[in-house]
Amino acid sequence: MKKNIHPDYHEITVVMTDGTSFKTRSTWGAEGDTLKLDIDPKTHPAWTGVHRLMDSGGRLAKFNKRFKDFGIKN
């Protein structure tokens, strides 16, 4: 392997959204830095299964009204 081309791999602390933390090795930051997460598997809808449909400016209602009669006819 070539020398001096790889990033520094060191230990950091990761703090989850609920305040729990763990140590891991990463190329992020510097030795001993703390990475505070805004979103993690405990809060993100992709992992929790809790989804909310946002309707900004009535767009969803407008879409449903426009395409209410659209469908496959037998």
Side-chain angles (χ1 to χ4, degrees), residues 37-53:
L37 300 179
D38 292 330
I39 238 174
D40 62 25
K42 296 177 184 178
T43 59
H44 195 280
W47 291 288
T48 62
V50 178
H51 299 275
R52 290 184 295 164
L53 201 50

Side-chain angles (χ1 to χ4, degrees), residues 10-74:
H10 48 269
E11 190 172 271
I12 64 167
T13 302
V14 178
V15 178
M16 307 288 268
T17 55
D18 65 353
T20 59
S21 64
F22 62 93
K23 291 194 181 282
T24 188
R25 294 185 55 80
S26 174
T27 58
W28 180 86
E31 179 77 29
D33 279 355
T34 301
L35 175 64
K36 293 182 181 177
L37 300 179
D38 292 330
I39 238 174
D40 62 25
K42 296 177 184 178
T43 59
H44 195 280
W47 291 288
T48 62
V50 178
H51 299 275
R52 290 184 295 164
L53 201 50
M54 303 286 287
D55 187 8
S56 60
R59 291 179 184 183
L60 184 59
K62 184 177 177 181
F63 177 87
N64 287 337
K65 181 180 176 186
R66 184 174 179 186
F67 294 104
K68 69 180 179 187
D69 295 325
F70 185 75
I72 299 173
K73 305 215 182 213
N74 291 331

